[in-house]
């Protein structure tokens, strides 16, 4: 019997044709109320959606035959992934399907600002002929600074090279070799702000990237530089951009995304001629919408006909015995990855996951995959999970090694993660006490006993009296409560380390205050 596919969001005629041509039985029922969908979903092997259909736990419960959900697009917020995984339903998406489209908008933004296209249009339509006022600038020979060279950033690099621009890029998660293959020179952020005539942002919105472009950054940018944000609202501090434009420092700004969407009608940026805005239409082209629909149709066909899984975003089941032994260590491995992502070297090129003790007899691939999830999730917009993490690492040129070790140590089982990248290696090791109590027991040369959860401040300092007291006092003054603290020092007393679990996120100002305390060498804030 042919597999049955329910298309419950508007895909495209071509996508439906691909499904039908493959011999699948396809019903297109767009916009059904939840109750009606629940009533019929039991008859289908596959569900094809965009973002409108809510694939809830309740819907999945009724979907007795369902084997796969295909999401045309990237975000899978509308799918209950845990419920799908529990029911053995594979969920697939189509990462990268709109990259060309978004990169083209960024290029359009850059060109319109450089040649004043929107304001010149308004002027001509108002009956004026202001040739002098709209003198612009060429892109050829100018420097583009791309922040984040993932799916979209890397397409923009390619297009900018065609415009004969020089491209510098900052991305802590890519090697200089990978960047140079794309045609960009990997630089640190300070250099990017200093050298770029045009800065285009293509990073996800994370703790690290929120207000990445604020007053301090803008001041470092070249006078007259152009700023483009087609990524996410919140990466740019819009107030600070308005101030910089008003001061005549920034030459222009283009935004497709805003901190609040839609923005208020009296938004401070709207007063400027040299601001170009679009209503979050980065991915809105016929081609992108059709490309993701065709991609998901092809993926569904490959899965239903040949069992080939592509771009799955949830986990296939593990045998129960393996899962029972591994289960407590999987979240630990993810935390180790998250610590390494935040403490570790930039541009990771090699990740080694080592297990020892009782755990060494269990298949370790799931642990390695989970450590990669913790590491990669921190940097990527694409949903990262155990299924796609190894492939993403490979695409990014990260070599992953799995090692079983017989080295003796003090724990029943130990998981050690080593991340090598530009400028060195970071080592984080952890264990699980009882069934669930994950602990980090080593960070580089320091032995600790730290709980990897919530907001954490990591401090390296001289091994001198008073440091911990000073940290406590400074945090108390800022209203940041310390929940737990783990202290450590090197055997030769050449350095000490504190891992502080705090109840709330410390502000950048508080972190700077800590950095200014006597004997403090470095301060990092982590979210675990
Ligand atoms: P991606 O995950 O492929 O790439 C993101 C890149 O940013 C990665 O290479 C990552 O290493 C890098 N990165 C992460 N943290 C960084 C940091 N602190 N500094 C510098 N680089 C960092 O994502 P993508 O598909 O290229 O999407 C990029 C952005 O575009 C995302 O914010 C996404 O939400 C947005 N987007 C916007 C639209 C729109 O309609 N305007 C459409 C699609 C995507």
């Amino acid at each position: 019997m042919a597999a049955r596919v329910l298309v419950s969001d508007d895909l495209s005629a071509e996508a439906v044709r691909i499904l039908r041509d493959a011999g699948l039985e396809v019903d297109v029922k767009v916009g059904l109320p939840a109750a009606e969908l629940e009533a019929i979903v039991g008859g289908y092997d596959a569900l094809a959606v965009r973002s409108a259909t809510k694939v809830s736990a309740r819907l999945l419960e009724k979907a007795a035959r369902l084997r796969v959900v295909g999401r045309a697009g990237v975000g899978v917020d509308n799918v209950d992934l845990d419920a799908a995984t529990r029911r053995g339903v594979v969920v697939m998406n189509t990462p990268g399907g709109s990259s060309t489209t978004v990169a083209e908008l960024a290029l359009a933004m850059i060109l319109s600002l450089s040649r004043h296209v929107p304001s010149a249009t308004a002027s001509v339509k108002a009956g004026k002929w202001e040739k002098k006022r709209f003198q612009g600038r060429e892109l050829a020979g100018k420097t583009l600074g791309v922040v984040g060279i993932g799916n979209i950033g890397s397409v923009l690099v390619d297009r900018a090279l065609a415009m004969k621009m020089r491209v510098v890029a900052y991305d802590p998660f890519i090697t200089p070799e990978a960047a140079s293959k794309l045609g960009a020179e990997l630089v640190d952020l300070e250099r990017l702000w200093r050298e770029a005539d045009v800065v285009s942002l293509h990073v996800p919105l994370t703790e690290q990237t929120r207000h990445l472009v604020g007053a301090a950054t803008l001041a470092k940018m070249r006078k007259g530089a152009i700023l483009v944000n087609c990524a996410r609202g919140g990466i740019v501090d819009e107030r600070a951009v308005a101030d910089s434009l008003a001061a005549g420092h920034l030459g222009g700004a283009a935004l497709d995304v805003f901190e609040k969407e839609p923005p208020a009608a009296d938004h401070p940026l709207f007063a400027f001629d040299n601001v170009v805005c679009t209503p979050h239409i980065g991915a809105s082209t016929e081609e992108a919408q059709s490309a993701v629909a065709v991609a998901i149709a092809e993926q569904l066909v490959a899965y239903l006909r040949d069992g080939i899984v592509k771009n799955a975003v949830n986990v296939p089941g593990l045998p129960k015995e393996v899962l029972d032994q591994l289960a407590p260590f999987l979240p630990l491995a993810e935390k180790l990855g998250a610590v390494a992502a935040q403490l570790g070297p930039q541009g990771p090129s090699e990740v080694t996951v080592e297990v020892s003790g009782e755990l060494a007899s269990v298949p370790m691939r799931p642990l390695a995959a989970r450590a990669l999830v913790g590491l990669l999730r921190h940097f990527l917009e694409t949903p990262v999970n155990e299924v796609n993490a190894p492939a993403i690492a490979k695409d990014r040129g990260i070599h992953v090694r799995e090692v079983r070790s017989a080295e003796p140590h003090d724990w029943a089982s130990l998981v050690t993660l080593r991340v090598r990248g530009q400028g060195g290696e970071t080592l984080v090791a952890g264990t699980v006490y009882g069934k669930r109590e994950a602990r980090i027991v080593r960070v580089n040369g320091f032995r600790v006993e730290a709980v990897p959860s919530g907001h954490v401040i990591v401090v390296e300092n001289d091994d001198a009296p008073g440091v911990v007291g000073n940290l406590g006092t400074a945090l108390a003054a800022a209203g940041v409560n310390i929940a737990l603290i783990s202290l450590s020092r090197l055997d030769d007393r050449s350095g000490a380390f504190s891992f502080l679990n705090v109840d709330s996120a410390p502000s950048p100002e508080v972190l700077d205050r800590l950095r200014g305390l006597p004997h403090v060498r470095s301060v990092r804030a982590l979210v675990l």
Side-chain angles (χ1 to χ4, degrees):
M1 196 176 82
R4 298 188 69 213
V5 183
L6 176 61
V7 177
S8 63
D9 287 335
D10 204 0
L11 282 197
S12 68
E14 194 187 352
V16 173
R17 187 184 50 72
I18 289 170
L19 293 167
R20 291 208 169 112
D21 285 356
L24 303 171
E25 204 179 296
V26 185
D27 288 333
V28 181
K29 294 179 192 285
V30 175
L32 286 184
E36 280 179 44
L37 192 56
E38 283 169 23
I40 62 163
V41 74
Y44 294 94
D45 303 271
L47 186 60
V49 303
R50 280 193 198 265
S51 57
T53 300
K54 303 288 170 249
V55 187
S56 61
R58 197 184 146 99
L59 182 71
L60 287 161
E61 238 167 65
K62 316 270 178 196
R65 261 173 75 168
L66 198 68
R67 289 189 277 150
V68 57
V69 175
R71 153 77 164 112
V74 179
V76 283
D77 310 351
N78 56 322
V79 182
D80 187 328
L81 282 185
D82 287 340
T85 306
R86 275 198 306 280
R87 302 189 67 85
V89 175
V90 174
V91 180
M92 299 171 168
N93 69 347
T94 58
S98 54
S99 303
T100 300
T101 275
V102 183
E104 284 187 2
L105 180 68
L107 188 61
M109 295 289 213
I110 297 168
L111 286 163
S112 355
L113 274 175
S114 302
R115 303 304 301 272
H116 314 291
V117 175
S119 34
T121 304
S123 160
V124 173
K125 287 185 174 172
K128 300 179 195 159
W129 199 250
E130 305 174 288
K131 287 169 80 81
K132 278 231 170 64
R133 183 179 158 209
F134 295 120
Q135 178 167 319
R137 280 187 297 177
E138 267 186 6
L139 292 185
K142 300 291 187 315
T143 299
L144 169 68
V146 181
V147 184
I149 36 177
N151 287 322
I152 298 167
S154 52
V155 179
L156 180 64
V157 172
D158 177 67
R159 304 310 190 258
L161 292 173
M163 305 294 297
K164 307 293 178 212
M165 296 186 84
R166 169 182 167 252
V167 185
V168 295
Y170 170 72
D171 191 320
F173 219 68
I174 205 154
T175 57
E177 295 73 40
S180 111
K181 250 191 216 154
L182 294 169
E185 183 187 355
L186 203 63
V187 297
D188 61 28
L189 261 186
E190 295 300 314
R191 231 186 103 187
L192 187 141
W193 304 136
R194 226 175 28 240
E195 293 186 7
D197 300 294
V198 179
V199 172
S200 196
L201 306 169
H202 300 283
V203 290
L205 179 63
T206 65
E207 293 285 324
Q208 272 72 40
T209 61
R210 183 174 296 282
H211 284 193
L212 179 72
V213 179
T217 333
L218 287 159
K220 291 177 190 165
M221 284 169 58
R222 303 182 82 143
K223 187 169 173 3
I226 282 175
L227 173 71
V228 178
N229 185 11
C230 290
R232 280 283 174 265
I235 298 171
V236 164
D237 177 349
E238 291 160 11
R239 183 75 258 173
V241 171
D243 290 345
S244 184
L245 288 166
H249 184 71
L250 195 64
L255 288 100
D256 181 48
V257 287
F258 294 83
E259 293 196 75
K260 182 172 163 281
E261 291 180 1
D266 62 350
H267 191 289
L269 285 175
F270 295 169
F272 297 92
D273 280 347
N274 48 351
V275 166
V276 175
C277 300
T278 44
H280 203 147
I281 52 167
S284 300
T285 58
E286 265 174 50
E287 290 82 356
Q289 295 306 307
S290 147
V292 293
V294 165
I296 206 62
E298 287 170 347
Q299 287 173 215
L300 286 176
V301 168
Y303 182 65
L304 292 169
R305 228 175 36 181
D306 307 317
I308 296 167
V309 177
K310 193 173 165 208
N311 297 329
V313 297
N314 64 341
V315 204
L318 289 169
K320 186 168 175 343
E321 326 71 78
V322 174
L323 194 59
D324 284 349
Q325 261 189 293
L326 274 179
F329 288 89
L330 293 171
L332 169 73
E334 186 172 331
K335 297 286 186 184
L336 296 179
V339 173
Q342 296 171 78
L343 280 186
Q346 299 210 333
S349 51
E350 186 174 287
V351 172
T352 306
V353 185
E354 181 178 312
V355 293
S356 54
E358 291 163 8
L359 207 58
S361 60
V362 183
M364 61 177 297
R365 179 116 327 153
L367 264 186
R370 199 63 182 260
L372 287 175
V373 170
L375 188 74
L376 296 166
R377 185 172 275 169
H378 206 75
F379 297 98
L380 300 179
E381 174 71 13
T382 312
V384 183
N385 53 63
E386 292 87 330
V387 180
N388 62 10
I392 294 177
K394 193 162 170 238
D395 284 351
R396 296 186 152 248
I398 301 172
H399 180 55
V400 182
R401 294 182 344 135
E402 296 168 11
V403 178
R404 287 171 206 283
S405 157
E407 288 263 310
H409 52 67
D410 299 342
W411 299 277
S413 288
L414 186 70
V415 183
T416 305
L417 179 69
R418 287 191 183 81
V419 179
R420 182 172 300 166
Q422 282 161 261
E425 181 179 273
T426 291
L427 180 153
V428 200
T431 191
V432 176
Y433 294 142
K435 280 263 176 252
R436 284 189 310 155
E437 297 293 313
R439 291 287 181 278
I440 293 184
V441 296
R442 226 182 117 187
V443 178
N444 296 325
F446 297 99
R447 281 183 70 132
V448 290
E449 192 175 312
V451 177
S453 146
H455 294 287
V456 170
I457 303 175
V458 167
V459 181
E460 281 201 55
N461 51 277
D462 306 331
D463 184 20
V467 176
V468 175
N470 286 340
L471 289 172
T473 309
L475 287 172
V480 178
N481 190 43
I482 303 176
L484 292 166
I485 179 163
S486 172
L487 303 174
S488 170
R489 67 182 180 193
L490 298 175
D491 291 342
D492 64 1
R493 303 194 53 182
S494 61
F497 179 90
S498 318
F499 190 105
L500 295 98
N501 295 87
V502 288
D503 287 341
S504 53
S507 66
E509 295 73 32
V510 170
L511 294 172
D512 277 344
R513 231 170 286 149
L514 300 185
R515 288 186 186 107
L517 292 173
H519 301 295
V520 168
R521 295 178 189 170
S522 72
V523 175
R524 308 281 283 273
L526 321 183
V527 185
L528 300 177

